[in-house]
Amino acid sequence: MENVLVKTPKPPSLKSLYGLTKPARRLSAHLAQHPDLLVKMPLKYAAGVGALGAYAVGRTLGLKPAPVREPARGDRRFRDDAWAESLPFDLLKQHYLLAAEAAESLVAQTPDFEGKEAEQARFWLGQLTSAASPDNVPFTNPQVVRKTLETGGANLRRGLANLLEDFSPEQGQLRISMTDSSAFEVGKNVATTPGKVVFRNDLIELLQFTPTTQTVHKTPLMIVPPWINKYYILDLREDNSLIRWLVGQGYTLFVISWVNPDSSLAHIDFADYMRLGIMEALNAVEQATGERRVNAVGYCIGGTLLAATLARMASENDERIATATFLTTQVDFSEAGELGVFIDDAQLDMLEQQMERRGYLDGATMAGSFNMLRANDLIWSFVINNYLLGEKPKAFDLLYWNSDATRMPRAMHMYYLRNMYLHNRLVQPDALELDGVPIDLRRVSIPVYLQSSVDDHIAPYPSVYKATEHYSGPVTFMLAGSGHIAGVVNPPSANKYFYMTNDAVPPSVEAWKAGAERHDGSWWPHWDAWLQVRSGGQVSARQPGSEKLPALEDAPGTYVSA
């Protein structure tokens, strides 16, 4: 057999582990000032272990004692029946939960340890306790034990083969497969709504979609998606495509498709995304339709850019955007959510140094940060499936899109992280300039629709609600069920989740929820009703590719596949 030399990755340096070691050092320093906690916490843990011993005796005697600890609601790690039915596995599970609880209490009960440093310590402790879960170990996971006995270890051999496929010796990185990527092809079975590319520059392709109704609303609709991922999260399948649904509701729909930037675009900054993205798209929409005013939609960071652009336009009396809809969008980052654990001066300095050579942040690095926010579901569940059970991941369009990550240009990304997440300057009047023009969100007086999701961990709904304090025009806030993605992509045909509405906009989101009405199903029709009355009368359907703006190629275009 030919010998194959596999280059092993270098061990991580202390510098690369700064996000972990810094909060650990701070926590240790705080605990050193309160030695009583180092006594109380082990005693409490020991009491839990003692109760677990009594529980074990009760079960051995045939009794049915109440568990000492049970998994939190939504924790899917211990769904296998053996975790409850087999006493050894049951005790292992409960002991782990006791230990994880004790670790978490180190942060929660340490006096004077709060704010950003406590959030970081809590996050990294959570990463460690997730990694230490017994279901991640072959001989303490009952499902893996059964599979190994049934197959004579073939599952572990297949798992090793899967591991070697996912490991890149050249880059020294393990990229865990989350789906069967061979099952999908952009333009073939995802991103299939018919349309044309009607405009292109170095940063965007503008897609105009083919109408399916004889007449359409007079005012065009333009979507500004995030550039952290690709636009087709809104066009995955025919039955869950927001793009296809909006076309069916009679809107002339345009969607920006961002380029996947390389080193040549390292200099592109936030203002370039405004100018080459939204502003040039507005010009193109006017050329294509003859309509000067559009209704705009911004999703996530695309919404943050839209808000900043609206403030810039307002300062120059540019009224080309008639209404704005924001999907899971933050403009006030004072309560930014779990991504904030990666944001402080030192970590951003390190990130900028990492991007210096290539001029961009690799898409896999960005995706890895997001996956860490839900490590049990988006990391460890695939470790178990792929490497311990030896299974190939199933075909899942959402995870295919999630894995189709994009790169972040250095100048834009650092501007965004420092000015929004770190210093929260977007909501500070005239604290930011775009192309030399100071911006103030209070100048935005057009009607605004804010969509948020109750389980969104990237843009938490209390953070989204803070935008109501900063716009001066009429604001409609809506809270949908589920999270950052499923809360948005929830078609009426699915009959899933719920949404909450309240015509009032009180100072706090808690007061808003107290007076809100809950509705079953999708929020899309509610938004459509809001949008229709602000979209003008009916005109003949507009086909993409007019004489003034000829079609360049079929949707989904070229940029989405790069």
Side-chain angles (χ1 to χ4, degrees):
M1 180 180 294
E2 182 181 357
N3 291 326
V4 179
L5 177 63
V6 178
K7 180 181 178 183
T8 57
K10 296 180 181 179
S13 64
L14 287 178
K15 185 176 181 181
S16 67
L17 291 175
Y18 179 85
L20 171 60
T21 59
K22 182 182 176 183
R25 291 197 307 269
R26 288 178 172 175
L27 177 60
S28 298
H30 278 274
L31 285 173
Q33 298 174 15
H34 301 279
D36 56 311
L37 291 176
L38 297 177
V39 176
K40 292 178 181 178
M41 291 179 187
L43 287 176
K44 183 178 179 182
Y45 167 70
V49 173
L52 192 58
Y55 170 85
V57 171
R59 280 202 55 177
T60 302
L61 296 174
L63 304 176
K64 295 183 178 180
V68 178
R69 290 293 183 274
E70 291 189 277
R73 182 181 178 184
D75 187 343
R76 298 184 291 180
R77 292 175 294 177
F78 305 106
R79 291 177 298 173
D80 191 279
D81 291 342
W83 287 113
E85 295 173 357
S86 167
L87 181 57
F89 282 117
D90 186 17
L91 294 176
L92 182 64
K93 171 193 69 180
Q94 292 192 59
H95 182 265
Y96 162 75
L97 294 173
L98 279 170
E101 180 185 273
E104 292 169 2
S105 70
L106 285 173
V107 179
Q109 298 182 26
T110 301
D112 305 320
F113 191 59
E114 53 191 16
K116 174 60 71 69
E117 62 181 12
E119 291 176 9
Q120 291 176 331
R122 190 179 300 111
F123 174 80
W124 289 110
L125 274 174
Q127 296 299 309
L128 293 175
T129 57
S130 291
S133 176
D135 67 325
N136 298 331
V137 182
F139 51 83
T140 57
N141 182 319
Q143 188 180 8
V144 176
V145 170
R146 285 197 306 270
K147 190 81 168 182
T148 303
L149 294 174
E150 291 170 0
T151 66
N155 58 305
L156 298 178
R157 291 193 295 272
R158 293 194 303 268
L160 178 59
N162 292 341
L163 178 65
L164 294 175
E165 286 182 13
D166 288 348
F167 178 69
S168 170
E170 295 80 11
Q171 298 180 5
Q173 290 183 345
L174 175 66
R175 297 188 177 183
I176 303 171
S177 297
M178 301 173 70
T179 187
D180 179 6
S181 297
S182 65
F184 301 101
E185 184 177 351
V186 174
K188 297 296 183 182
N189 55 2
V190 292
T192 60
T193 300
K196 302 289 184 182
V197 177
V198 296
F199 175 78
R200 178 186 293 123
N201 61 25
D202 290 342
L203 194 60
I204 71 167
E205 288 180 335
L206 185 66
L207 311 179
Q208 180 181 354
F209 291 93
T210 304
T212 57
T213 56
Q214 291 186 344
T215 62
V216 293
H217 297 287
K218 185 173 186 291
T219 305
L221 183 63
M222 185 180 79
I223 298 179
V224 184
W227 52 87
I228 291 175
N229 292 99
K230 297 180 179 179
Y231 86 88
Y232 65 88
I233 184 58
L234 302 176
D235 192 28
L236 284 176
R237 301 187 311 271
E238 290 187 14
D239 61 352
N240 71 353
S241 168
L242 178 59
I243 287 174
R244 190 178 292 266
W245 187 83
L246 286 169
V247 171
Q249 302 308 114
Y251 294 98
T252 302
L253 182 62
F254 295 83
V255 176
I256 290 175
S257 176
W258 301 99
V259 74
N260 192 4
D262 56 20
S263 299
S264 67
L265 296 178
H267 64 285
I268 293 290
D269 63 16
F270 200 77
D272 291 317
Y273 271 73
M274 174 197 70
R275 186 176 57 255
L276 298 176
I278 294 178
M279 303 305 283
E280 291 207 4
L282 288 174
N283 295 336
V285 170
E286 183 177 359
Q287 278 187 276
T289 65
E291 291 295 324
R292 182 162 177 78
R293 306 198 78 197
V294 308
N295 291 321
V297 181
Y299 188 178
C300 190
I301 189 175
T304 306
L305 175 67
L306 176 61
T309 303
L310 285 169
R312 160 69 190 270
M313 294 172 71
S315 69
E316 298 184 328
N317 297 315
D318 186 339
E319 299 180 342
R320 284 181 292 168
I321 295 181
T323 73
T325 297
F326 296 100
L327 310 179
T328 62
T329 294
Q330 297 177 102
V331 295
D332 187 327
F333 289 78
S334 58
E335 297 179 19
E338 296 178 14
L339 278 175
V341 299
F342 299 113
I343 310 297
D344 59 32
D345 283 314
Q347 291 189 86
L348 292 186
D349 286 344
M350 283 197 304
L351 181 63
E352 189 165 25
Q353 291 175 19
Q354 291 173 15
M355 291 191 285
E356 190 66 34
R357 181 175 62 86
R358 291 185 295 185
Y360 60 81
L361 180 65
D362 182 73
T365 302
M366 192 75 183
S369 298
F370 281 102
N371 290 344
M372 287 175 70
L373 301 180
R374 290 294 179 266
N376 290 331
D377 293 333
L378 295 178
I379 296 177
W380 295 111
S381 67
F382 293 99
V383 168
I384 294 167
N385 181 79
N386 300 1
Y387 310 143
L388 302 187
L389 295 175
E391 302 289 345
K392 289 290 187 180
K394 297 178 180 179
F396 188 12
D397 54 359
L398 177 59
L399 290 178
Y400 172 78
W401 167 84
N402 188 61
S403 300
D404 192 10
T406 54
R407 297 177 286 271
M408 298 290 106
R410 174 172 49 86
M412 180 283 302
H413 198 49
M414 297 314 302
Y415 180 96
Y416 171 67
L417 293 178
R418 284 202 166 100
N419 286 289
M420 311 306 177
Y421 269 97
L422 187 61
H423 297 299
N424 197 26
R425 288 178 175 141
L426 183 55
V427 293
Q428 301 172 33
D430 300 331
L432 286 183
E433 293 185 355
L434 288 180
D435 279 349
V437 177
I439 61 173
D440 184 348
L441 291 183
R442 296 175 303 178
R443 298 189 183 104
V444 178
S445 59
I446 61 174
V448 164
Y449 186 103
L450 298 176
Q451 181 272 343
S452 61
S453 299
V454 68
D455 294 322
D456 192 336
H457 60 287
I458 294 174
Y461 72 85
S463 180
V464 175
Y465 191 81
K466 285 180 174 293
T468 62
E469 304 171 12
H470 301 292
Y471 301 125
S472 61
V475 176
T476 299
F477 180 81
M478 186 278 302
L479 180 60
S482 197
H484 193 70
I485 301 301
V488 173
V489 184
N490 181 27
S493 59
N495 195 29
K496 292 174 63 177
Y497 310 130
F498 64 90
Y499 65 98
M500 300 172 66
T501 60
N502 185 349
D503 291 337
V505 186
S508 72
V509 71
E510 291 79 12
W512 183 92
K513 286 182 68 178
E517 181 180 359
R518 178 179 170 129
H519 315 269
D520 292 332
S522 171
W523 60 272
W524 292 5
H526 179 266
W527 174 48
D528 179 42
W530 181 90
L531 196 58
Q532 280 190 31
V533 299
R534 295 166 175 84
S535 297
Q538 294 289 304
V539 298
S540 297
R542 307 174 177 109
Q543 297 296 326
S546 65
E547 292 182 2
K548 292 184 178 180
L549 202 65
L552 303 178
E553 63 177 294
D554 290 338
T558 302
Y559 285 178
V560 73
S561 298

